[in-house]
């Protein structure tokens, strides 16, 4: 028996390929975005306590209410935004799930969605599987900035959504106040929705302000904003996140959610509801990860790679064009095999395979991991 694939052009992701190659060769994996250091002991204890106290059955479909309440309090503290925990927040099994559910909530066949590339690998398949059309716009290399004039040119009567990601995966760039100004100008008096992927919300560096869509009521009224506990609290395997939207949009979001996942891991939600009450638990995260970025940059200065700026996330991209003229996928595979360090080629984040001779490294690792990796990368000539 055969089926007509809804994703005929999709194969195994580069993350699986590179991580498998790294494991096979016992290489240091700076490719896939996961930490190799322990997560917070207090949070572990709170989740363990929740299990011992019997929080092992379903919580409500929308999420554990005390967790939603503390998320609302956090958003008021950070962004001066009044979010109703009952009608505007839904806890999800990870940020990627929240993104898929938001797209499925809105999109109809033939709708167009503006996507900025390089883009996180789930975006385009999520759009296509809903029968919609990704309209691709390249970020301006090497700064990876949005060309808002091109956005205006690509808007059509079929444009249903604009997808944003800040801090950005894979490049580590961020949105600035001017970007928000341009976005507001474009969507004003339109029927265009916004999906804002903010899973690295707290991992922002150099005293920059995180330009969350939640700060802007006129943008929030048309937005789904997606977050990840796993990314910011160093527990990617938990697959726990949440989405914030308006009451009317969230009502529709939950219609999709209730027939897919329905309810997320209860003990983790209970533990997080206590952990988030301590503001330092999230205010300290940016400094913690910036120290890792800075240390990695310091080490990498001894190599022949050229750094492009990273202002947030787990990642920094590096040019290698003066080292080799190989395609970036070939280069990434070769350095994994010959030098024992895995990276991700940035061309895989473009549907066209655009190759600027750039690879992405994850610096969310222990110091000794970064040191050993760079000791190997120094040997590349």
């Amino acid at each position: 028996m055969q089926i007509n694939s809804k994703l005929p052009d999709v194969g195994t992701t580069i993350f699986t390929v590179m991580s498998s190659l790294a494991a096979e060769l016992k290489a240091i994996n700076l490719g896939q975005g996961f930490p190799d250091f322990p997560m917070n002991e207090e949070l572990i204890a709170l989740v363990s306590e929740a299990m011992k106290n019997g929080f092992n059955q379903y919580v409500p479909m929308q999420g554990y209410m005390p967790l939603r309440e503390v998320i609302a309090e956090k958003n008021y503290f950070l962004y001066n935004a009044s979010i109703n925990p009952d009608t505007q927040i839904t806890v999800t099994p990870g940020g990627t799930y929240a993104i898929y559910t938001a797209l499925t909530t809105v999109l109809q066949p033939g709708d167009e969605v503006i996507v900025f590339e390089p883009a996180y690998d789930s975006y385009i398949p999520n759009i296509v599987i809903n029968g919609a059309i990704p309209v691709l716009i390249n970020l301006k290399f090497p700064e990876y900035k949005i060309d808002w004039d091109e956005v205006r040119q690509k808007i059509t009567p079929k444009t249903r959504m604009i997808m944003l990601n800040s801090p950005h995966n894979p490049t580590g760039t961020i949105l600035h106040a001017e970007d928000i100004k341009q976005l507001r100008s474009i969507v004003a008096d339109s029927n265009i929705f916004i999906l804002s992927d903010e899973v690295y919300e707290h991992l922002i560096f150099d005293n920059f302000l995180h330009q969350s869509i939640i700060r802007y009521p006129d943008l929030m009224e048309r937005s789904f904003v997606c977050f990840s506990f796993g990314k910011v609290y160093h527990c990617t395997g938990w697959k726990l996140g949440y989405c914030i939207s308006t009451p009317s949009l969230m009502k529709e979001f939950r219609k999709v959610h209730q027939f897919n996942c329905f309810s997320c891991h209860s003990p983790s939600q209970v533990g997080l509801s206590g952990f988030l009450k301590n503001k330092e638990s999230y205010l300290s995260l940016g400094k913690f990860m910036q120290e890792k970025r800075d240390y990695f940059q310091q080490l990498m200065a001894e190599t022949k790679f050229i750094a492009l700026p990273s202002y947030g996330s787990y990642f920094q991209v590096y040019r290698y064009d003066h080292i080799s003229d190989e395609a970036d996928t070939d280069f990434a595979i070769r350095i994994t095999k010959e030098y024992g360090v895995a990276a991700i080629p940035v061309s895989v984040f473009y549907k066209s395979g655009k190759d600027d001779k750039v690879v992405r490294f994850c610096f969310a690792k222990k110091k000794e991991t970064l040191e050993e990796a760079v000791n190997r990368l120094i040997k590349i000539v």
Side-chain angles (χ1 to χ4, degrees):
M1 296 180 67
Q2 294 182 336
I3 61 171
N4 292 323
S5 175
K6 292 185 177 182
L7 296 171
D9 300 325
V10 172
T12 303
T13 72
I14 191 66
F15 308 104
T16 299
V17 171
M18 296 306 298
S19 290
S20 296
L21 186 62
E24 177 190 340
L25 300 174
K26 295 182 171 54
I28 297 172
N29 190 354
L30 299 190
Q32 196 167 0
F34 60 85
D36 68 344
F37 48 84
M39 60 175 289
N40 187 283
E41 294 274 354
E42 179 188 352
L43 181 52
I44 292 172
L46 287 169
V47 175
S48 178
E49 181 183 1
M51 287 189 281
K52 290 175 182 176
N53 288 340
F55 289 98
N56 299 303
Q57 310 309 325
Y58 296 126
V59 294
M61 174 266 289
Q62 305 91 328
Y64 184 56
M65 179 53 92
L67 176 57
R68 286 184 280 146
E69 289 172 343
V70 76
I71 290 170
E73 291 167 8
K74 180 168 80 82
N75 279 277
Y76 186 80
F77 170 70
L78 290 173
Y79 307 128
N80 197 33
S82 295
I83 303 295
N84 186 317
D86 184 40
T87 60
Q88 292 187 255
I89 301 171
T90 298
V91 178
T92 63
T96 301
Y97 172 101
I99 292 164
Y100 177 84
T101 304
L103 289 166
T104 303
T105 300
V106 169
L107 296 180
Q108 298 289 341
D111 285 345
E112 294 179 352
V113 181
I114 288 179
V115 179
F116 300 104
E117 292 192 308
Y120 178 56
D121 68 337
S122 80
Y123 294 174
I124 292 174
N126 287 181
I127 293 165
V128 170
I129 207 165
N130 280 289
I133 301 164
V135 176
L136 308 177
I137 296 177
N138 288 345
L139 297 174
K140 294 166 72 173
F141 182 78
E143 300 90 355
Y144 293 110
K145 290 185 176 180
I146 295 173
D147 183 339
W148 290 103
D149 289 334
E150 185 175 357
V151 176
R152 288 183 174 87
Q153 293 167 12
K154 294 287 180 72
I155 296 285
T156 76
K158 293 183 177 181
T159 303
R160 190 64 167 159
M161 181 174 278
I162 296 174
M163 296 188 72
L164 300 168
N165 177 205
S166 180
H168 184 257
N169 178 11
T171 69
T173 55
I174 58 174
L175 294 176
H176 297 279
E178 178 60 24
D179 294 301
I180 298 297
K181 178 181 176 182
Q182 295 284 351
L183 178 65
R184 286 171 125 170
S185 165
I186 286 171
V187 300
D189 301 318
S190 78
N191 292 316
I192 299 173
F193 292 97
I194 295 167
L195 193 152
S196 186
D197 176 354
E198 301 183 17
V199 300
Y200 295 103
E201 169 193 27
H202 296 301
L203 306 183
I204 194 161
F205 314 142
D206 303 320
N207 296 313
F208 278 106
L209 184 71
H210 174 48
Q211 294 291 342
S212 177
I213 294 300
I214 291 174
R215 293 183 184 276
Y216 304 98
D218 58 321
L219 296 179
M220 263 305 296
E221 69 182 10
R222 61 178 73 241
S223 295
F224 297 88
V225 191
C226 303
F227 301 91
S228 168
F229 292 117
K231 286 295 188 186
V232 297
Y233 296 116
H234 322 310
C235 49
T236 59
W238 284 19
K239 294 300 296 178
L240 200 66
Y242 57 98
C243 181
I244 297 178
S245 191
T246 64
S248 60
L249 296 180
M250 186 53 68
K251 180 179 179 181
E252 295 301 314
F253 180 100
R254 289 173 177 173
K255 288 180 182 179
V256 178
H257 169 69
Q258 71 179 342
F259 294 118
N260 191 357
C261 157
F262 183 78
S263 183
C264 302
H265 191 253
S266 301
S268 297
Q269 293 189 60
V270 175
L272 282 161
S273 69
F275 188 66
L276 286 177
K277 291 176 183 176
N278 176 6
K279 293 183 174 64
E280 189 62 21
S281 70
Y282 52 84
L283 293 177
S284 62
L285 291 168
K287 180 184 177 191
F288 172 80
M289 198 59 70
Q290 181 176 334
E291 288 174 354
K292 292 190 174 294
R293 181 209 62 177
D294 292 348
Y295 189 57
F296 186 58
Q297 286 182 350
Q298 176 188 332
L299 295 171
M300 287 291 286
E302 300 299 317
T303 74
K304 295 188 179 299
F305 290 86
I306 297 175
L308 297 178
S310 170
Y311 301 114
S313 80
Y314 283 168
F315 308 113
Q316 182 149 30
V317 295
Y318 280 80
R319 298 179 69 162
Y320 68 87
D321 49 334
H322 60 298
I323 300 174
S324 169
D325 62 0
E326 293 168 271
D328 63 358
T329 301
D330 294 337
F331 180 77
I333 290 172
R334 181 171 71 84
I335 67 172
T336 305
K337 290 180 175 180
E338 296 182 5
Y339 297 93
V341 180
I344 297 294
V346 172
S347 68
V348 302
F349 297 94
Y350 292 91
K351 187 170 175 42
S352 67
K354 183 176 185 287
D355 186 355
D356 295 307
K357 305 294 185 284
V358 175
V359 291
R360 187 195 79 175
F361 293 105
C362 174
F363 52 76
K365 307 291 181 182
K366 294 181 289 192
K367 275 192 171 185
E368 51 266 40
T369 303
L370 298 176
E371 290 165 355
E372 178 56 30
V374 175
N375 283 338
R376 300 179 185 188
L377 294 172
I378 286 172
K379 299 173 184 175
I380 300 176
V381 293

